[in-house]
């Protein structure tokens, strides 16, 4: 049955090797907006893309196979509802909320960030984002102000904006999804935060110079692939903050870190996810 109109989700189960072979074409046809879902114990990846029309979804089926699920009316409210969400305290320096109305309690000297849940690109509630935020807060206590940060795969911009709150003098925030970058810019304006340069593009390109902090909440295969480039762009005493890694992928990622002269100094686990903070491996 052909779907002629309406919002849709295109889905396809595929192996990692299939994704590697078709990534460039898939990126072009979806404008980089597809998602990769890697479930524990599953042998295949789930690749998904939101399509505004059935014709767009049908084009993906024609090119790659897969299936189409129509989204019923009111899907935004069900997917992105902030009901029941609570502010997230990040150390003593930051509180993140989806709405100013959530800030019912005194936040003390902490800075506040309002990241609407409707952004759907990371509000701080997901385990990977929350762990990354807390690692960022802890490691930047030693840096003072004026340091430089790269946020690879910025999504809502939450890590980039938090970096500015923690003293970064400059933040480069990159995402291959133009909609995500638009949302991140809106969040920066709403929170009256400057000093973040948002870039639409490949997370492996568009960076210059070195950084004190590189943060990336991506999937593990991409993190591993990017490590050689990040080794060149990270200060010798800088830190990597990596998340989006499943527990079963921990050994693979830590091996890749060692192979690229990094050592995981801190590993946090929450549910099925882990986050790592790594530094250059000290020579023996």
């Amino acid at each position: 049955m052909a779907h002629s109109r309406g919002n849709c989700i295109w889905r396809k189960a595929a192996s990692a090797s299939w994704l590697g072979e078709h990534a460039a074409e898939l990126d072009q046809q979806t404008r980089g907006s597809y998602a990769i879902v890697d479930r524990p114990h599953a042998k295949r990846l789930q690749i998904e893309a939101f399509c505004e029309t059935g014709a767009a979804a049908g084009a993906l089926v024609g090119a790659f196979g897969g299936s189409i699920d129509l989204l019923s009316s009111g899907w935004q409210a069900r997917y992105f509802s902030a009901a029941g969400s609570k502010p997230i305290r990040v150390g003593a320096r930051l509180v993140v909320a989806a709405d100013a109305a959530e800030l019912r309690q005194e936040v003390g000297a902490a800075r506040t960030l309002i990241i609407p849940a409707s952004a759907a690109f990371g509000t701080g509630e997901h385990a990977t984002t929350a762990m990354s935020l807390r690692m960022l807060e802890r490691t930047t206590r030693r840096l003072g102000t004026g340091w430089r940060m790269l946020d690879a795969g910025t999504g809502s911009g939450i890590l980039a904006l938090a970096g500015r709150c923690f003293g970064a003098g400059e933040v480069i925030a990159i995402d291959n999804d133009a909609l995500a970058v638009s949302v991140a810019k809106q969040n920066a304006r709403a929170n009256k935060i400057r000093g973040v340069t948002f870039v639409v593009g490949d997370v492996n390109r568009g960076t210059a110079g070195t950084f004190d902090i590189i943060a990336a909440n991506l999937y593990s295969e991409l993190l591993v692939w990017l490590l050689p480039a990040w080794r060149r762009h990270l200060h010798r005493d800088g830190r990597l903050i990596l998340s989006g890694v499943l527990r079963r992928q921990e050994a693979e990622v830590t091996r890749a870190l060692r192979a690229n002269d990094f050592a995981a100094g801190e590993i946090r686990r929450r549910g099925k996810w882990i986050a790592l903070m790594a530094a250059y491996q000290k020579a023996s």
Side-chain angles (χ1 to χ4, degrees), residues 103-125:
L103 300 173
R104 300 183 182 92
Q105 298 181 349
E106 178 65 39
V107 297
R111 174 72 189 268
T112 60
L113 273 181
I114 304 300
I115 307 292
S118 59
F121 294 105
T123 64
E125 291 188 1

Side-chain angles (χ1 to χ4, degrees), residues 251-262:
E252 174 190 354
V253 173
T254 54
R255 281 196 302 269
L257 284 167
R258 289 194 297 271
N260 286 278
D261 302 320
F262 291 106

Side-chain angles (χ1 to χ4, degrees), residues 220 223-224 227 242 245-269 274-279 281:
S220 62
L223 293 174
V224 168
L227 286 176
L242 309 178
V245 180
L246 293 165
R247 283 198 183 209
R248 65 183 175 86
Q249 298 166 329
E250 179 178 333
E252 174 190 354
V253 173
T254 54
R255 281 196 302 269
L257 284 167
R258 289 194 297 271
N260 286 278
D261 302 320
F262 291 106
E266 179 182 357
I267 300 177
R268 294 283 173 171
R269 301 171 181 87
I274 70 167
L276 308 92
M277 184 157 57
Q281 179 74 57

Side-chain angles (χ1 to χ4, degrees), residues 122-141:
T123 64
E125 291 188 1
H126 194 276
T128 59
T129 309
M131 289 189 291
S132 298
L133 280 169
R134 292 184 171 116
M135 284 185 169
L136 180 63
E137 192 276 331
R138 285 194 298 275
T139 196
T140 56
R141 293 175 193 171

